Short mmCIF file of all heavy atoms in Angstrom, two decimals:
data_model
loop_
_atom_site.label_atom_id
_atom_site.label_comp_id
_atom_site.label_asym_id
_atom_site.label_seq_id
_atom_site.Cartn_x
_atom_site.Cartn_y
_atom_site.Cartn_z
N ALA A 8 0.83 -1.19 0.00
CA ALA A 8 0.00 0.00 0.00
C ALA A 8 0.87 1.25 0.00
O ALA A 8 1.86 1.32 0.74
CB ALA A 8 -0.92 0.01 1.22
N ALA A 9 0.50 2.20 -0.83
CA ALA A 9 1.28 3.43 -0.96
C ALA A 9 0.54 4.62 -0.36
O ALA A 9 -0.69 4.67 -0.37
CB ALA A 9 1.58 3.70 -2.42
N SER A 10 1.32 5.56 0.12
CA SER A 10 0.79 6.83 0.58
C SER A 10 1.78 7.93 0.26
O SER A 10 2.96 7.65 -0.02
CB SER A 10 0.51 6.80 2.09
OG SER A 10 1.70 6.59 2.81
N GLY A 11 1.31 9.13 0.23
CA GLY A 11 2.19 10.26 -0.02
C GLY A 11 2.21 10.71 -1.46
O GLY A 11 2.35 11.90 -1.73
N GLU A 12 2.15 9.77 -2.37
CA GLU A 12 2.14 10.09 -3.79
C GLU A 12 1.28 9.07 -4.53
O GLU A 12 0.86 8.06 -3.96
CB GLU A 12 3.57 10.07 -4.35
CG GLU A 12 4.48 11.16 -3.77
CD GLU A 12 5.81 11.24 -4.49
OE1 GLU A 12 5.89 10.82 -5.65
OE2 GLU A 12 6.78 11.73 -3.88
N THR A 13 1.05 9.34 -5.80
CA THR A 13 0.23 8.45 -6.62
C THR A 13 1.06 7.26 -7.08
O THR A 13 2.05 7.41 -7.79
CB THR A 13 -0.31 9.20 -7.84
OG1 THR A 13 -1.08 10.32 -7.39
CG2 THR A 13 -1.21 8.29 -8.67
N LEU A 14 0.63 6.06 -6.68
CA LEU A 14 1.38 4.86 -7.02
C LEU A 14 1.41 4.62 -8.52
O LEU A 14 2.34 3.99 -9.03
CB LEU A 14 0.77 3.66 -6.31
CG LEU A 14 1.61 2.39 -6.26
CD1 LEU A 14 2.92 2.63 -5.51
CD2 LEU A 14 0.83 1.25 -5.63
N GLY A 15 0.41 5.12 -9.23
CA GLY A 15 0.34 4.91 -10.66
C GLY A 15 1.45 5.57 -11.45
O GLY A 15 1.58 5.35 -12.65
N ASP A 16 2.28 6.37 -10.81
CA ASP A 16 3.42 6.99 -11.47
C ASP A 16 4.67 6.13 -11.40
O ASP A 16 5.72 6.53 -11.90
CB ASP A 16 3.72 8.35 -10.83
CG ASP A 16 2.61 9.37 -11.10
OD1 ASP A 16 1.88 9.21 -12.10
OD2 ASP A 16 2.50 10.33 -10.30
N TYR A 17 4.56 4.95 -10.75
CA TYR A 17 5.74 4.14 -10.47
C TYR A 17 5.58 2.71 -10.98
O TYR A 17 4.51 2.10 -10.83
CB TYR A 17 6.00 4.06 -8.97
CG TYR A 17 6.32 5.38 -8.32
CD1 TYR A 17 5.32 6.29 -7.97
CD2 TYR A 17 7.64 5.73 -8.04
CE1 TYR A 17 5.63 7.49 -7.38
CE2 TYR A 17 7.95 6.93 -7.44
CZ TYR A 17 6.94 7.81 -7.11
OH TYR A 17 7.26 9.00 -6.52
N ALA A 18 6.64 2.18 -11.55
CA ALA A 18 6.74 0.73 -11.71
C ALA A 18 7.03 0.14 -10.33
O ALA A 18 7.72 0.76 -9.51
CB ALA A 18 7.85 0.36 -12.68
N ILE A 19 6.49 -1.04 -10.07
CA ILE A 19 6.63 -1.66 -8.75
C ILE A 19 7.22 -3.05 -8.88
O ILE A 19 6.88 -3.81 -9.79
CB ILE A 19 5.26 -1.77 -8.05
CG1 ILE A 19 4.63 -0.38 -7.87
CG2 ILE A 19 5.40 -2.47 -6.70
CD1 ILE A 19 5.38 0.53 -6.94
N GLY A 20 8.09 -3.36 -7.97
CA GLY A 20 8.66 -4.71 -7.92
C GLY A 20 8.50 -5.31 -6.53
O GLY A 20 8.52 -4.60 -5.53
N TRP A 21 8.32 -6.61 -6.51
CA TRP A 21 8.40 -7.37 -5.26
C TRP A 21 9.75 -8.07 -5.23
O TRP A 21 10.16 -8.70 -6.21
CB TRP A 21 7.28 -8.40 -5.17
CG TRP A 21 5.96 -7.84 -4.75
CD1 TRP A 21 4.92 -7.47 -5.56
CD2 TRP A 21 5.52 -7.60 -3.41
NE1 TRP A 21 3.87 -7.00 -4.80
CE2 TRP A 21 4.21 -7.07 -3.48
CE3 TRP A 21 6.09 -7.76 -2.15
CZ2 TRP A 21 3.48 -6.72 -2.35
CZ3 TRP A 21 5.36 -7.42 -1.03
CH2 TRP A 21 4.07 -6.90 -1.13
N PHE A 22 10.41 -7.97 -4.09
CA PHE A 22 11.72 -8.57 -3.89
C PHE A 22 11.68 -9.37 -2.60
O PHE A 22 10.85 -9.11 -1.72
CB PHE A 22 12.79 -7.47 -3.80
CG PHE A 22 12.89 -6.62 -5.04
CD1 PHE A 22 12.00 -5.57 -5.25
CD2 PHE A 22 13.85 -6.88 -6.01
CE1 PHE A 22 12.07 -4.79 -6.39
CE2 PHE A 22 13.93 -6.10 -7.15
CZ PHE A 22 13.04 -5.07 -7.34
N ARG A 23 12.59 -10.31 -2.47
CA ARG A 23 12.63 -11.08 -1.24
C ARG A 23 14.06 -11.33 -0.81
O ARG A 23 14.97 -11.35 -1.65
CB ARG A 23 11.88 -12.40 -1.40
CG ARG A 23 12.52 -13.41 -2.36
CD ARG A 23 11.58 -14.60 -2.55
NE ARG A 23 12.16 -15.64 -3.38
CZ ARG A 23 11.51 -16.72 -3.79
NH1 ARG A 23 10.22 -16.90 -3.44
NH2 ARG A 23 12.11 -17.62 -4.54
N GLN A 24 14.22 -11.50 0.49
CA GLN A 24 15.53 -11.81 1.04
C GLN A 24 15.38 -12.93 2.05
O GLN A 24 14.74 -12.76 3.09
CB GLN A 24 16.17 -10.59 1.69
CG GLN A 24 17.60 -10.82 2.14
CD GLN A 24 18.36 -9.53 2.37
OE1 GLN A 24 17.78 -8.45 2.48
NE2 GLN A 24 19.67 -9.62 2.42
N ALA A 25 15.97 -14.05 1.70
CA ALA A 25 15.95 -15.22 2.58
C ALA A 25 17.11 -15.12 3.56
O ALA A 25 18.10 -14.43 3.30
CB ALA A 25 16.05 -16.49 1.76
N PRO A 26 17.02 -15.82 4.69
CA PRO A 26 18.10 -15.77 5.68
C PRO A 26 19.44 -16.16 5.07
O PRO A 26 19.55 -17.20 4.41
CB PRO A 26 17.64 -16.78 6.73
CG PRO A 26 16.17 -16.82 6.61
CD PRO A 26 15.88 -16.63 5.15
N GLY A 27 20.43 -15.33 5.26
CA GLY A 27 21.76 -15.64 4.77
C GLY A 27 21.97 -15.44 3.29
O GLY A 27 23.03 -15.76 2.75
N LYS A 28 20.97 -14.89 2.61
CA LYS A 28 21.08 -14.69 1.16
C LYS A 28 20.86 -13.22 0.81
O LYS A 28 20.35 -12.44 1.61
CB LYS A 28 20.06 -15.57 0.44
CG LYS A 28 20.29 -17.07 0.61
CD LYS A 28 19.34 -17.87 -0.27
CE LYS A 28 19.61 -19.36 -0.14
NZ LYS A 28 18.69 -20.15 -0.99
N GLY A 29 21.23 -12.88 -0.40
CA GLY A 29 21.02 -11.54 -0.87
C GLY A 29 19.60 -11.32 -1.34
O GLY A 29 18.81 -12.25 -1.47
N ARG A 30 19.28 -10.09 -1.58
CA ARG A 30 17.95 -9.74 -2.07
C ARG A 30 17.78 -10.18 -3.52
O ARG A 30 18.70 -10.04 -4.33
CB ARG A 30 17.76 -8.23 -1.97
CG ARG A 30 16.36 -7.74 -2.29
CD ARG A 30 16.33 -6.23 -2.22
NE ARG A 30 17.20 -5.63 -3.21
CZ ARG A 30 17.78 -4.44 -3.08
NH1 ARG A 30 17.59 -3.74 -1.97
NH2 ARG A 30 18.54 -3.95 -4.04
N ALA A 31 16.60 -10.68 -3.83
CA ALA A 31 16.33 -11.16 -5.19
C ALA A 31 14.97 -10.67 -5.66
O ALA A 31 14.01 -10.62 -4.88
CB ALA A 31 16.35 -12.69 -5.22
N GLY A 32 14.90 -10.31 -6.91
CA GLY A 32 13.63 -9.90 -7.49
C GLY A 32 12.69 -11.08 -7.64
O GLY A 32 13.13 -12.22 -7.88
N VAL A 33 11.40 -10.83 -7.52
CA VAL A 33 10.38 -11.87 -7.63
C VAL A 33 9.46 -11.58 -8.82
O VAL A 33 9.31 -12.40 -9.71
CB VAL A 33 9.57 -11.95 -6.33
CG1 VAL A 33 8.41 -12.93 -6.49
CG2 VAL A 33 10.45 -12.36 -5.17
N ALA A 34 8.84 -10.42 -8.79
CA ALA A 34 7.89 -10.04 -9.84
C ALA A 34 7.83 -8.53 -9.92
O ALA A 34 7.96 -7.85 -8.91
CB ALA A 34 6.51 -10.61 -9.55
N CYS A 35 7.61 -8.03 -11.13
CA CYS A 35 7.56 -6.59 -11.35
C CYS A 35 6.40 -6.25 -12.28
O CYS A 35 6.01 -7.07 -13.13
CB CYS A 35 8.87 -6.09 -11.94
SG CYS A 35 10.27 -6.24 -10.80
N ILE A 36 5.87 -5.04 -12.11
CA ILE A 36 4.73 -4.62 -12.90
C ILE A 36 4.91 -3.17 -13.32
O ILE A 36 5.43 -2.35 -12.55
CB ILE A 36 3.41 -4.83 -12.11
CG1 ILE A 36 2.18 -4.63 -12.99
CG2 ILE A 36 3.37 -3.95 -10.86
CD1 ILE A 36 0.90 -5.14 -12.34
N SER A 37 4.49 -2.87 -14.53
CA SER A 37 4.62 -1.52 -15.05
C SER A 37 3.67 -0.57 -14.33
O SER A 37 2.76 -0.99 -13.62
CB SER A 37 4.36 -1.50 -16.56
OG SER A 37 3.04 -1.96 -16.82
N SER A 38 3.88 0.73 -14.55
CA SER A 38 3.13 1.73 -13.79
C SER A 38 1.62 1.66 -14.01
O SER A 38 0.83 1.90 -13.09
CB SER A 38 3.63 3.13 -14.14
OG SER A 38 3.45 3.39 -15.52
N LYS A 39 1.20 1.30 -15.23
CA LYS A 39 -0.23 1.21 -15.52
C LYS A 39 -0.75 -0.22 -15.44
O LYS A 39 -1.94 -0.46 -15.61
CB LYS A 39 -0.53 1.79 -16.91
CG LYS A 39 -0.03 3.21 -17.10
CD LYS A 39 -0.52 4.16 -16.02
CE LYS A 39 0.03 5.57 -16.25
NZ LYS A 39 -0.26 6.47 -15.10
N GLY A 40 0.16 -1.17 -15.20
CA GLY A 40 -0.26 -2.55 -15.03
C GLY A 40 -0.34 -3.35 -16.32
O GLY A 40 -0.73 -4.51 -16.30
N GLY A 41 0.09 -2.75 -17.42
CA GLY A 41 -0.04 -3.45 -18.69
C GLY A 41 1.01 -4.50 -18.95
O GLY A 41 0.82 -5.37 -19.80
N SER A 42 2.11 -4.43 -18.22
CA SER A 42 3.20 -5.39 -18.42
C SER A 42 3.65 -5.93 -17.08
O SER A 42 3.64 -5.23 -16.08
CB SER A 42 4.39 -4.71 -19.11
OG SER A 42 4.02 -4.23 -20.39
N THR A 43 4.03 -7.21 -17.11
CA THR A 43 4.56 -7.86 -15.91
C THR A 43 5.79 -8.66 -16.25
O THR A 43 6.01 -9.03 -17.42
CB THR A 43 3.52 -8.79 -15.26
OG1 THR A 43 3.12 -9.77 -16.22
CG2 THR A 43 2.30 -8.02 -14.77
N TYR A 44 6.58 -8.94 -15.24
CA TYR A 44 7.78 -9.78 -15.41
C TYR A 44 7.90 -10.64 -14.16
O TYR A 44 7.72 -10.16 -13.04
CB TYR A 44 9.03 -8.92 -15.59
CG TYR A 44 10.29 -9.73 -15.66
CD1 TYR A 44 10.72 -10.28 -16.87
CD2 TYR A 44 11.05 -9.98 -14.51
CE1 TYR A 44 11.89 -11.03 -16.94
CE2 TYR A 44 12.20 -10.75 -14.58
CZ TYR A 44 12.61 -11.26 -15.79
OH TYR A 44 13.75 -12.02 -15.86
N TYR A 45 8.23 -11.91 -14.37
CA TYR A 45 8.42 -12.83 -13.26
C TYR A 45 9.78 -13.49 -13.40
O TYR A 45 10.19 -13.87 -14.49
CB TYR A 45 7.34 -13.91 -13.26
CG TYR A 45 5.93 -13.37 -13.09
CD1 TYR A 45 5.16 -13.03 -14.20
CD2 TYR A 45 5.40 -13.18 -11.83
CE1 TYR A 45 3.88 -12.53 -14.04
CE2 TYR A 45 4.11 -12.68 -11.66
CZ TYR A 45 3.37 -12.35 -12.78
OH TYR A 45 2.10 -11.85 -12.62
N THR A 46 10.43 -13.67 -12.26
CA THR A 46 11.67 -14.44 -12.30
C THR A 46 11.32 -15.92 -12.42
O THR A 46 10.24 -16.36 -12.03
CB THR A 46 12.52 -14.17 -11.06
OG1 THR A 46 11.75 -14.47 -9.90
CG2 THR A 46 12.95 -12.72 -11.01
N GLY A 47 12.28 -16.70 -12.90
CA GLY A 47 12.01 -18.08 -13.25
C GLY A 47 11.49 -18.93 -12.11
O GLY A 47 10.64 -19.79 -12.30
N VAL A 48 11.96 -18.68 -10.89
CA VAL A 48 11.61 -19.56 -9.78
C VAL A 48 10.17 -19.41 -9.33
O VAL A 48 9.64 -20.27 -8.64
CB VAL A 48 12.56 -19.33 -8.58
CG1 VAL A 48 13.96 -19.78 -8.93
CG2 VAL A 48 12.54 -17.89 -8.14
N VAL A 49 9.51 -18.30 -9.70
CA VAL A 49 8.13 -18.09 -9.27
C VAL A 49 7.15 -18.09 -10.43
O VAL A 49 5.93 -18.07 -10.21
CB VAL A 49 7.97 -16.78 -8.48
CG1 VAL A 49 8.94 -16.74 -7.32
CG2 VAL A 49 8.14 -15.55 -9.38
N LYS A 50 7.64 -18.11 -11.63
CA LYS A 50 6.77 -18.05 -12.80
C LYS A 50 5.78 -19.21 -12.78
O LYS A 50 6.15 -20.36 -12.56
CB LYS A 50 7.60 -18.07 -14.07
CG LYS A 50 6.83 -17.73 -15.34
CD LYS A 50 7.76 -17.67 -16.54
CE LYS A 50 8.73 -16.52 -16.46
NZ LYS A 50 9.57 -16.41 -17.68
N GLY A 51 4.52 -18.89 -12.98
CA GLY A 51 3.47 -19.89 -12.97
C GLY A 51 2.86 -20.12 -11.61
O GLY A 51 1.81 -20.76 -11.50
N ARG A 52 3.52 -19.61 -10.55
CA ARG A 52 2.98 -19.78 -9.19
C ARG A 52 2.54 -18.44 -8.59
O ARG A 52 1.59 -18.41 -7.80
CB ARG A 52 4.05 -20.41 -8.29
CG ARG A 52 4.50 -21.78 -8.72
CD ARG A 52 5.39 -22.43 -7.66
NE ARG A 52 6.62 -21.69 -7.46
CZ ARG A 52 7.03 -21.25 -6.26
NH1 ARG A 52 6.29 -21.46 -5.18
NH2 ARG A 52 8.19 -20.60 -6.16
N PHE A 53 3.24 -17.38 -8.93
CA PHE A 53 2.95 -16.06 -8.37
C PHE A 53 2.32 -15.17 -9.43
O PHE A 53 2.63 -15.29 -10.62
CB PHE A 53 4.23 -15.38 -7.88
CG PHE A 53 4.87 -16.00 -6.66
CD1 PHE A 53 4.46 -17.22 -6.16
CD2 PHE A 53 5.90 -15.33 -6.02
CE1 PHE A 53 5.06 -17.79 -5.05
CE2 PHE A 53 6.51 -15.87 -4.90
CZ PHE A 53 6.10 -17.11 -4.42
#
């Protein structure tokens, strides 16, 4: 959830960090929602 500004002006990504590991991208979406990208490990599930 966003506050302070209009979220529609931003592309958004979900990232995750597991214990002892670096941060990794999971899924991303364009500012208007017309395009998405998924990393291989979550494609088809998320």
Side-chain angles (χ1 to χ4, degrees):
S10 62
E12 295 188 24
T13 301
L14 195 62
D16 292 336
Y17 296 80
I19 301 294
W21 280 97
F22 300 81
R23 67 187 184 186
Q24 187 162 16
K28 296 186 178 180
R30 187 183 63 208
V33 174
C35 293
I36 190 166
S37 60
S38 60
K39 305 307 179 189
S42 298
T43 58
Y44 176 86
Y45 298 91
T46 56
V48 293
V49 306
K50 192 175 293 184
R52 299 189 296 126
F53 291 11

